[in-house]
Amino acid sequence: MSVLFRNCSAHRLPSAATAGWVLVDGSRFAAIGTGDEPQADRVIDLHGAHVYPAFVDAHVHLPATGLYAVGMDFRGERSRTAILESFKERAADRSALLFGGNFEDPLDEPISRVELDGAVGDRPALLVRADMHSSVVSTALLDQLDLTSLEGVDKGADGSPTGYLREQAAAAAWTWFDRNLPKEQVRDAVRTAVKLAYSKGVTSVHEMHVVEWRGWGAWDTLAEATSGMALVVVPYIATTDVERVRSMGFNRIGGDYFLDGSFGSHTAWLAEPYLSPPPNGSSSTGISYRDDEGLYDFFLEAQKADLQVGVHAIGDAAIEQAISTWERVGREVGVPEVRRKGHRIEHFECSSDDHLDRARTLGLRASVQPAFDLYWGGPGGLYAERMGWDRAREMNRFGTMLERGLVVGAGSDSTVTPLDPFVQMQAMRGHHLEDERLGRTLAIKTHTMGSRALAFGPGLDGTLEAGAVADIVALDRDLAETEIDDLTATEVLGTWAAGTRVWPPESAESD
Ligand SMILES: [Zn+2]
């Protein structure tokens, strides 16, 4: 069936020229033009809307995104009382999910399990920090966990756990909570997350499944929940089990395969010590999760199995480990072979010019989260507090990455930052460092063609050209004419995935 979208400004990425109508035949663009309109089985009048290729979010955790959407989201909340009140209200319903996310340290007063128990009584409750590397648990949840051999258990003056957990211990709490959710609840949460994506003009996500946290079964639940949906879910499974991933039919592996932790939790792996003192008992340079030999064996095996590999690397020491290990693989199989797969580095935050040049030589692609800079960058931000502005200003240099020839794509790492391309474009255009800001059109391209290219390499799709897959978003404004601060007010009038309308739901259609 052919559909003519008329009466619109169609932004013909990559050229940035505009056209007045778009003809879709089946799942692909058939023609784009201005003036004389072709015949079509169906005509949709867009009433002057601005049309772009739909967005691709290159780093997402859909189940968590859904949990946050159906649970409590404490983004920006600093008040202990407000958080505890919310838990108390929720707990009045015995079947409600006692999950809260996105809290930011420090709160006005810290929360320990004692206060959380006061709000939820004897029920397991989980409060997760914005970076997901720390959490607070109620006593009922703490009692379910075996934390004896795990790092990251905060202890009070009397030696008993305060309920504040970091890294391994926080992951154990998440895993228990996650695995004990009824399947139905997980499915509902995932579907909520998918609707959220559509409502923001996103038709494809790269899903980062962390096996260490969520287990293998959770992947099946996710696959089941999203099957039959128009959303393209590109799977990145964080495991070294190359055979298993191949047998699942995937040609990519890793993603959030952790080489280190995060800045918020003092666990990003740095070459030089943190400036702000890490919590008692933890290393002054963060945490390294993998030894060089093990990582080399994994990279080499995946490369030989023809898989694209992604790894999570935030600190400069972690990024150095990823790059030097790929260089080693290059010496074994040849750099062109490594380049051909276009392996990814997720986050890629603390990278020197030398890192970027070596990464380009290896054809490594940069999966960045622009809003990390928006929320935690700048001279007064969290990163500067953690290691001083001189070092923090070397982070998240999107402009330099593109200038030096890296393939760069944008993602939200939702729930770490919102699954919202308009927030990400705001961050790309308004980087704390003027030199690193992306131009208006480049910011759009990075979230459409760039994000897509992280998984598939540069190609036609993700553009608005005849022959490309008809992933379309219709907006109430011209993004290139919109000031940075107004971007997040953009209204998504409609989203189509491969020619099928997914937002607003078909039932809401009026034409
Ligand atoms: Zn990650």
Side-chain angles (χ1 to χ4, degrees):
M1 187 176 89
S2 61
V3 182
L4 177 71
F5 295 83
R6 66 175 301 277
N7 193 11
C8 62
S9 276
H11 297 259
R12 304 191 64 168
L13 293 185
S15 73
T18 53
W21 53 260
V22 175
L23 182 69
V24 171
D25 193 4
S27 62
R28 291 186 181 266
F29 296 119
I32 294 139
T34 302
D36 286 348
E37 293 172 358
Q39 291 292 318
D41 301 328
R42 195 164 161 230
V43 177
I44 295 178
D45 189 324
L46 287 174
H47 307 290
H50 289 267
V51 169
Y52 293 88
F55 302 105
V56 177
D57 193 315
H59 190 119
V60 163
H61 305 275
L62 277 182
T65 303
L67 259 191
Y68 281 56
V70 298
M72 292 168 281
D73 190 337
F74 294 116
R75 186 179 300 282
E77 184 58 74
R78 295 267 174 183
S79 153
R80 170 168 89 170
T81 313
I83 291 177
L84 292 174
E85 274 306 313
S86 300
F87 268 100
K88 198 170 174 183
E89 254 170 57
R90 275 273 166 147
D93 175 357
R94 289 299 294 184
S95 66
L97 197 67
L98 296 181
F99 176 86
N102 274 329
F103 90 98
E104 205 52 272
D105 274 342
L107 297 170
D108 57 353
E109 288 172 278
I111 294 180
S112 74
R113 66 188 164 97
V114 178
E115 289 83 33
L116 207 49
D117 292 349
V120 305
D122 60 357
R123 296 174 58 193
L126 178 62
L127 172 64
V128 178
R129 195 182 190 283
D131 66 3
M132 295 172 80
H133 289 255
S134 304
S135 59
V136 185
V137 297
S138 65
T139 303
L141 175 46
L142 188 75
D143 287 346
Q144 301 292 332
L145 309 174
D146 178 10
L147 300 172
T148 38
S149 63
L150 297 185
E151 274 181 60
V153 183
D154 188 53
K155 300 239 171 77
D158 64 351
S160 71
T162 62
Y164 192 96
L165 308 174
R166 288 178 296 111
E167 294 305 319
Q168 286 186 332
W174 175 275
T175 302
W176 185 89
F177 194 84
D178 189 44
R179 288 186 191 178
N180 284 277
L181 281 176
K183 253 190 177 181
E184 260 316 313
Q185 236 163 24
V186 178
R187 243 176 266 153
D188 288 349
V190 169
R191 284 178 188 153
T192 306
V194 172
K195 276 188 209 140
L196 173 71
Y198 291 154
S199 76
K200 295 292 178 184
V202 173
T203 55
S204 173
V205 299
H206 301 179
E207 173 67 22
M208 302 290 148
H209 183 76
V210 183
V211 177
E212 284 161 294
W213 290 356
R214 312 202 60 242
W216 288 96
W219 174 262
D220 298 329
T221 307
L222 173 70
E224 216 180 286
T226 53
S227 81
M229 286 188 169
L231 185 82
V232 176
V233 179
V234 181
Y236 283 89
I237 309 230
T239 173
T240 55
D241 197 338
V242 167
E243 265 320 300
R244 184 163 184 164
V245 167
R246 268 178 62 93
S247 71
M248 291 162 89
F250 302 146
N251 55 3
R252 42 185 69 88
I253 193 169
D256 256 341
Y257 181 76
F258 299 118
L259 301 193
D260 66 345
S262 79
F263 270 98
S265 300
H266 280 96
T267 49
W269 181 25
L270 304 180
E272 301 287 330
Y274 282 91
L275 191 68
S276 59
N280 273 345
S282 39
S283 152
S284 64
T285 52
I287 296 184
S288 159
Y289 278 105
R290 320 286 169 184
D291 66 80
D292 291 346
E293 283 314 304
L295 190 64
Y296 173 71
D297 291 344
F298 168 44
F299 279 6
L300 188 62
E301 189 190 355
Q303 171 78 43
K304 286 183 169 168
D306 208 27
L307 300 180
Q308 183 202 30
V309 184
V311 290
H312 160 123
I314 284 182
D316 49 358
I319 289 169
E320 175 60 36
Q321 186 184 37
I323 294 174
S324 58
T325 305
W326 280 122
E327 285 171 337
R328 221 177 129 190
V329 174
R331 287 193 287 276
E332 177 69 25
V333 302
V335 170
E337 268 302 288
V338 174
R339 286 186 62 87
R340 189 177 59 80
K341 291 312 297 176
H343 303 293
R344 297 167 55 143
I345 295 184
E346 306 301 317
H347 315 308
F348 215 152
E349 288 199 84
C350 303
S351 48
S352 64
D353 289 352
D354 175 59
H355 285 143
L356 298 183
D357 287 343
R358 288 158 63 206
R360 188 202 43 217
T361 302
L362 292 160
L364 301 181
R365 302 172 187 171
S367 169
V368 302
Q369 289 68 46
F372 284 6
D373 176 72
L374 177 70
Y375 293 147
W376 302 298
L382 171 84
Y383 298 142
E385 186 231 306
R386 288 286 191 262
M387 55 180 194
W389 175 233
D390 274 354
R391 287 159 71 197
R393 68 181 301 144
E394 295 297 302
M395 296 178 66
N396 295 311
R397 294 181 299 147
F398 314 131
T400 304
M401 285 175 162
L402 283 162
E403 205 177 280
R404 290 193 176 239
L406 261 67
V407 172
V408 179
S412 59
D413 201 358
S414 174
T415 58
V416 180
T417 79
L419 201 171
D420 185 337
F422 306 101
V423 172
Q424 307 303 333
M425 285 188 284
Q426 177 192 11
M428 286 186 263
R429 283 173 50 184
H431 196 286
H432 282 95
L433 291 176
E434 218 175 313
D435 285 353
E436 301 301 337
R437 291 179 188 163
L438 304 194
R440 294 164 180 228
T441 304
L442 193 51
I444 303 167
K445 286 183 186 173
T446 302
H447 218 322
T448 50
M449 299 157 60
S451 301
R452 192 188 174 286
L454 289 181
F456 300 100
L460 196 58
D461 299 337
T463 65
L464 203 68
E465 294 174 283
V469 169
D471 288 334
I472 305 168
V473 61
L475 306 176
D476 69 340
R477 65 194 71 194
D478 183 339
L479 292 175
E481 294 294 318
T482 304
E483 293 307 318
I484 294 179
D485 292 337
D486 298 329
L487 279 170
T488 54
T490 304
E491 207 185 319
V492 175
L493 304 171
T495 306
W496 288 262
T500 300
R501 177 165 171 162
V502 291
W503 185 265
E506 202 71 41
S507 54
E509 191 156 46
S510 57
D511 55 318

